Amino acid sequence: MTRVVPLLALVSGSALAASSSGTANLLFSLFWVVLAASVFGMIASKLGVPAVVGQVLAGILIGPSLLNLARPDEFLLSLAELGAVFLLFMVGLETRFRDLLAVGKEALLVAVLGIVIPLALGFGFGLFQGQGNVSALFVGTALVATSVGITAKVLQEMGVLDARFAQVILGAAVIDDILGLTLLAVVSGLGAGESMGAAQVALILGLSVGFVALVLAVGIPLIHRFQPRLQNLSLARMFNVAIVVGLGVAALSTVAGLAPIIGAFLAGMVLAEVKDEVEFESKVHALEAFLAPIFFVVVGLQLDLSVLGTPTVIVAGLILTVLAVIGKVVGGLLGARSMGGQQALLVGVGMVPRGEVGLIVASLGLGAGIINGNVYAEVLLMVLLTTVLAPLALRVLARRAGPEAIAAKA
Amino acid sequence: MTRVVPLLALVSGSALAASSSGTANLLFSLFWVVLAASVFGMIASKLGVPAVVGQVLAGILIGPSLLNLARPDEFLLSLAELGAVFLLFMVGLETRFRDLLAVGKEALLVAVLGIVIPLALGFGFGLFQGQGNVSALFVGTALVATSVGITAKVLQEMGVLDARFAQVILGAAVIDDILGLTLLAVVSGLGAGESMGAAQVALILGLSVGFVALVLAVGIPLIHRFQPRLQNLSLARMFNVAIVVGLGVAALSTVAGLAPIIGAFLAGMVLAEVKDEVEFESKVHALEAFLAPIFFVVVGLQLDLSVLGTPTVIVAGLILTVLAVIGKVVGGLLGARSMGGQQALLVGVGMVPRGEVGLIVASLGLGAGIINGNVYAEVLLMVLLTTVLAPLALRVLARRAGPEAIAAKA
């Protein structure tokens, strides 16, 4: 671990000594990220605002467009990815599959409507702006994908992850990811000048759905069968087992065309079946407590405000934000209407944050030359506003709904 | 976090879809690393062997030269670095500064002799082989630096970190790092054709020593003063404070020309002053339990056995290993002779593992064209053998020394 450091480069002037200042940079930027997460998370909590809001804003503050203390480099992006994986793993650990299954119909409806409506709105707005078909489709796709990590953390912080509306959000997020990634594959194909046949689309969909079904259908009986053996493991060893299962399913889920966070969530749900009998959750929680805030700050780091050039871009971004909110809220209100207006509204608002997912779609489109810099900036503003405002609204609405509503268990 | 995945590239064939399979690779290699660490750590423990030995061997097994399931890429190297930082932070938390100070004289002697003797032996061997002066100096330097992480973990596992001989090892490791990095700066300068004046050397040394003194002289009174406030913090918030302090001092130590693990160790020692009154250690432990095994496996990943070409290289590597062992053991025996032969031998053996530090020196030399591929391979074999055999010997010797010897508190 001993590496030659910047100072030595100064002193000796040798290129050799300068060659590995990487370690120092890495630790400094991680230090700033963790410091910013702690301080802004604390300030947010004191203000009665979800900590994630403080942490995303902290990321913008220390990021390239303002203080420039940290940049979203490969290491921080990878660590953030790991943070999201452990966050959803932890959320899975707090979720019972049977509760999720109980709201399956609502979740499916919310997910489908929450994809169709924003896609249509985004596509329409893109065409209205004079973008080409594929560019407009990319904007629509960027409006589709919910960042479930943001909402899940807010719900976890409020202690209402097991409420019925929260379960609908989690279930819808899984389906949203399956459909959203399939859509992205189709749209990316179009971007590369290839149109995908129905068989290909069915294959992608089938693999994703099959993977989710397989993990749950095989994992849940298996974990119950191994429960007596797991109970004999020491805490340290059971922690290892949990981590290996979580990372393994997360990695495998990417092979099935899903986001790793979905695999982590599924793995968490499988392990949740035995967590009352087998102790390991507290250790996973410590890991998550370190890594998840890094994820939120890194979302902020990626929100480079300097791309927001002209007033036209800002106005277009605001319109896109309104469409993004309408799309998910209407999707929630319609899809979960059987639960009553108040709960359905909570579901809709919970689906609003686009977070890192919208950014990835937009970056892919920008990198491939499908959307231009202005369109990218509009999407970025939409991501910023939905990510910061939805948690605030969710908290206010959940408080207003009162304890009975949020305590309605699945 | 949603990224287009390898499967989509297969299905759609688009370059765009293939562009971010990085996430999947990252999770898979991390999965293999964590799985290998768990399984081989467990097997080692069952065999009565230190877990680190199993984990380093696991790294060789899954690494590029054998199964090729993971490679020491930037992400794994960075995560390993973080693992070493948290390991030494944890070791610091289990160390009282006053205990370390009590063995200061022995530690200084062990460190100085454990540098001078291996340096002379390595330099002499290099010249004997017909290497140039600077190349031979690099070999000597690679023989100097102890990988304290390996030994510290073995001592922690055996529950003897607070034994007197363990404190000597930790103290010597700090001094070893200060002197070793200064030496590396001088030798690197020579490699770049610049010779360093005494004033420059004094500046490097002074900065390192000054930093250590400053952290302890300022940190310890400060932490006692803040203790009442820290006691009022929640566990989650105190955990944040600890992490921020640990990462901050680790990052700053690189500016002073020290390895980040030294800063982490110092920060841990400062926080150890209040850990009986303020609870946070269990959370740091969970982080360390996840990250430290990654560090050990990644040391193994870097041991690419395929470079061990000819029998000549292997024989030379074995001789180098013998010299490396003699250098540190004699250094320990002489430096800690006031503690009696048995304890002094434990100290000497504890200083033997070269681990990642020897590799870094050798890689720097190879990269700068100062040493050739054969010399690199010889150093690599020396690193492998000292890293794997020293923990085994340490455990056997500590057992043989009996409980009174290892229980002799500082």
Side-chain angles (χ1 to χ4, degrees):
Chain A
M1 291 298 111
T2 313
R3 303 230 177 137
V4 190
V5 292
L7 170 85
L8 300 191
L10 270 177
V11 178
S12 79
S14 86
L16 202 158
S19 71
S20 38
S21 63
T23 297
N25 290 341
L26 181 156
L27 283 170
F28 271 111
S29 58
L30 184 59
F31 164 73
W32 287 119
V33 166
V34 173
L35 178 66
S38 302
V39 172
F40 282 77
M42 195 184 68
I43 293 174
S45 302
K46 294 228 161 152
L47 295 175
V49 165
V52 290
V53 173
Q55 287 162 345
V56 172
L57 293 176
I60 300 176
L61 179 69
I62 67 167
S65 58
L66 295 170
L67 297 182
N68 200 21
L69 293 169
R71 352 187 95 254
D73 56 20
E74 275 307 298
F75 178 63
L76 282 182
L77 285 173
S78 304
L79 210 57
E81 176 94 42
L82 211 55
V85 163
F86 276 107
L87 168 61
L88 269 289
F89 185 51
M90 192 71 210
V91 170
L93 277 177
E94 295 174 38
T95 307
R96 297 274 172 174
F97 174 57
R98 54 177 174 274
D99 296 346
L100 214 56
L101 210 59
V103 295
K105 209 191 77 192
E106 287 82 1
L108 182 64
L109 270 172
V110 168
V112 172
L113 291 168
I115 283 182
V116 173
I117 305 173
L119 180 65
L121 292 175
F123 181 63
F125 180 65
L127 291 183
F128 171 79
Q129 277 192 310
Q131 297 175 32
N133 278 336
V134 181
S135 175
L137 260 179
F138 247 88
V139 174
T141 305
L143 249 56
V144 157
T146 291
S147 166
V148 66
I150 304 279
T151 296
K153 191 70 192 180
V154 176
L155 297 172
Q156 191 191 47
E157 213 176 74
M158 294 175 70
V160 298
L161 258 182
D162 58 349
R164 196 150 184 260
F165 81 91
Q167 299 289 311
V168 175
I169 293 173
L170 291 177
V174 173
I175 304 167
D176 181 284
D177 191 76
I178 295 175
L179 299 176
L181 271 183
T182 307
L183 177 68
L184 182 57
V186 174
V187 175
S188 296
L190 288 176
E194 300 150 15
S195 74
M196 219 176 259
Q200 272 181 305
V201 175
L203 176 63
I204 298 177
L205 263 182
L207 259 167
S208 308
V209 174
F211 181 80
V212 173
L214 191 76
V215 169
L216 295 171
V218 172
I220 291 178
L222 212 62
I223 198 88
H224 282 297
R225 196 165 153 189
F226 276 101
Q227 184 183 317
R229 278 201 231 176
L230 296 177
Q231 277 173 291
N232 287 332
L233 293 181
S234 66
L235 172 57
R237 209 149 276 168
M238 184 57 214
F239 174 55
N240 279 338
V241 170
I243 297 294
V244 166
V245 169
L247 286 174
V249 180
L252 279 176
S253 69
T254 63
V255 178
L258 287 163
I261 54 169
I262 300 299
F265 175 68
L266 296 174
M269 251 193 325
V270 167
L271 286 167
E273 296 283 319
V274 298
K275 72 159 179 177
D276 292 341
E277 290 77 27
V278 185
E279 159 59 8
F280 59 95
E281 202 181 357
S282 65
K283 293 235 161 199
V284 177
H285 185 262
L287 257 186
E288 188 252 13
F290 173 64
L291 291 170
I294 296 173
F295 165 62
F296 300 121
V297 174
V298 171
V299 168
L301 285 184
Q302 294 172 274
L303 293 170
D304 183 352
L305 298 186
S306 65
V307 302
L308 292 175
T310 62
T312 323
V313 169
I314 294 175
V315 171
L318 291 174
I319 296 174
L320 204 59
T321 306
V322 172
L323 297 177
V325 172
I326 291 175
K328 290 290 182 184
V329 170
V330 172
L333 282 174
L334 292 179
R337 66 184 177 282
S338 66
M339 298 167 68
Q342 211 169 34
Q343 300 250 350
L345 182 61
L346 284 171
V347 169
V349 172
M351 299 296 288
V352 165
R354 299 309 200 280
E356 79 293 353
V357 194
L359 284 180
I360 289 168
V361 174
S363 302
L364 279 174
L366 185 68
I370 297 167
I371 64 172
N372 65 35
N374 281 345
V375 175
Y376 177 81
E378 291 163 25
V379 172
L380 189 131
L381 187 59
M382 177 280 288
V383 167
L384 166 63
L385 293 175
T386 57
T387 303
V388 168
L389 299 180
L392 296 176
L394 189 63
R395 188 138 160 171
V396 170
L397 288 171
R399 289 249 166 94
R400 191 170 299 168
E404 326 78 71
I406 60 174
K409 298 287 181 283
Chain B
M1 291 299 112
T2 312
R3 302 229 177 136
V4 190
V5 290
L7 171 85
L8 300 191
L10 271 176
V11 177
S12 80
S14 85
L16 200 157
S19 71
S20 38
S21 62
T23 297
N25 290 341
L26 180 156
L27 283 169
F28 271 111
S29 57
L30 185 58
F31 164 73
W32 288 118
V33 167
V34 174
L35 178 66
S38 302
V39 172
F40 282 77
M42 195 184 68
I43 293 174
S45 302
K46 294 228 161 150
L47 295 175
V49 164
V52 289
V53 174
Q55 287 162 346
V56 172
L57 293 176
I60 299 176
L61 179 69
I62 66 168
S65 57
L66 296 170
L67 298 181
N68 200 20
L69 293 168
R71 350 188 97 254
D73 56 20
E74 277 306 299
F75 178 62
L76 282 181
L77 285 173
S78 304
L79 211 56
E81 176 96 43
L82 211 55
V85 163
F86 277 107
L87 169 61
L88 269 289
F89 184 52
M90 193 70 209
V91 170
L93 277 177
E94 295 173 38
T95 307
R96 296 275 173 175
F97 174 56
R98 55 178 174 275
D99 297 345
L100 215 57
L101 209 58
V103 295
K105 207 191 78 193
E106 288 82 0
L108 181 64
L109 271 172
V110 168
V112 172
L113 291 168
I115 283 181
V116 173
I117 305 174
L119 178 65
L121 292 174
F123 181 62
F125 181 65
L127 291 182
F128 171 78
Q129 278 191 310
Q131 297 175 32
N133 279 336
V134 181
S135 176
L137 260 179
F138 248 88
V139 174
T141 306
L143 249 56
V144 157
T146 292
S147 166
V148 66
I150 304 280
T151 296
K153 191 69 192 182
V154 176
L155 298 172
Q156 191 191 48
E157 214 177 74
M158 296 174 69
V160 297
L161 259 182
D162 57 349
R164 197 151 182 261
F165 80 91
Q167 299 288 311
V168 175
I169 294 174
L170 292 177
V174 173
I175 304 167
D176 182 283
D177 191 77
I178 294 175
L179 299 176
L181 272 182
T182 307
L183 177 67
L184 183 57
V186 174
V187 175
S188 297
L190 287 176
E194 300 152 15
S195 74
M196 219 176 259
Q200 271 181 306
V201 175
L203 176 62
I204 298 178
L205 264 182
L207 258 165
S208 308
V209 174
F211 181 78
V212 173
L214 191 75
V215 169
L216 295 171
V218 173
I220 292 179
L222 212 62
I223 198 87
H224 283 295
R225 195 164 155 190
F226 275 101
Q227 184 183 318
R229 277 202 232 175
L230 296 177
Q231 278 173 290
N232 287 333
L233 293 181
S234 65
L235 172 58
R237 209 149 277 168
M238 184 57 215
F239 175 57
N240 279 338
V241 170
I243 297 294
V244 166
V245 169
L247 287 174
V249 180
L252 279 176
S253 69
T254 64
V255 178
L258 286 164
I261 55 169
I262 300 299
F265 175 68
L266 296 174
M269 254 196 318
V270 167
L271 285 167
E273 296 283 320
V274 299
K275 72 158 179 178
D276 292 340
E277 289 78 27
V278 185
E279 159 58 9
F280 59 94
E281 202 181 356
S282 65
K283 293 234 162 202
V284 177
H285 185 263
L287 255 185
E288 189 253 13
F290 173 64
L291 290 170
I294 297 174
F295 164 61
F296 299 121
V297 175
V298 171
V299 168
L301 285 183
Q302 293 171 273
L303 294 169
D304 184 351
L305 298 186
S306 65
V307 302
L308 293 175
T310 63
T312 323
V313 168
I314 295 175
V315 170
L318 290 174
I319 297 174
L320 205 59
T321 307
V322 172
L323 297 177
V325 172
I326 291 176
K328 289 292 183 183
V329 169
V330 171
L333 282 173
L334 292 179
R337 66 183 177 282
S338 66
M339 300 167 67
Q342 210 169 36
Q343 299 250 350
L345 182 61
L346 285 171
V347 170
V349 172
M351 298 296 287
V352 166
R354 299 310 198 279
E356 79 294 352
V357 193
L359 285 179
I360 289 168
V361 174
S363 303
L364 280 174
L366 186 68
I370 297 167
I371 65 172
N372 64 37
N374 282 343
V375 175
Y376 176 81
E378 292 163 26
V379 173
L380 188 130
L381 187 59
M382 178 279 289
V383 168
L384 166 62
L385 293 175
T386 56
T387 303
V388 168
L389 299 180
L392 296 176
L394 189 63
R395 187 136 159 174
V396 170
L397 288 172
R399 288 249 167 93
R400 191 169 298 169
E404 327 77 72
I406 59 175
K409 299 287 182 284

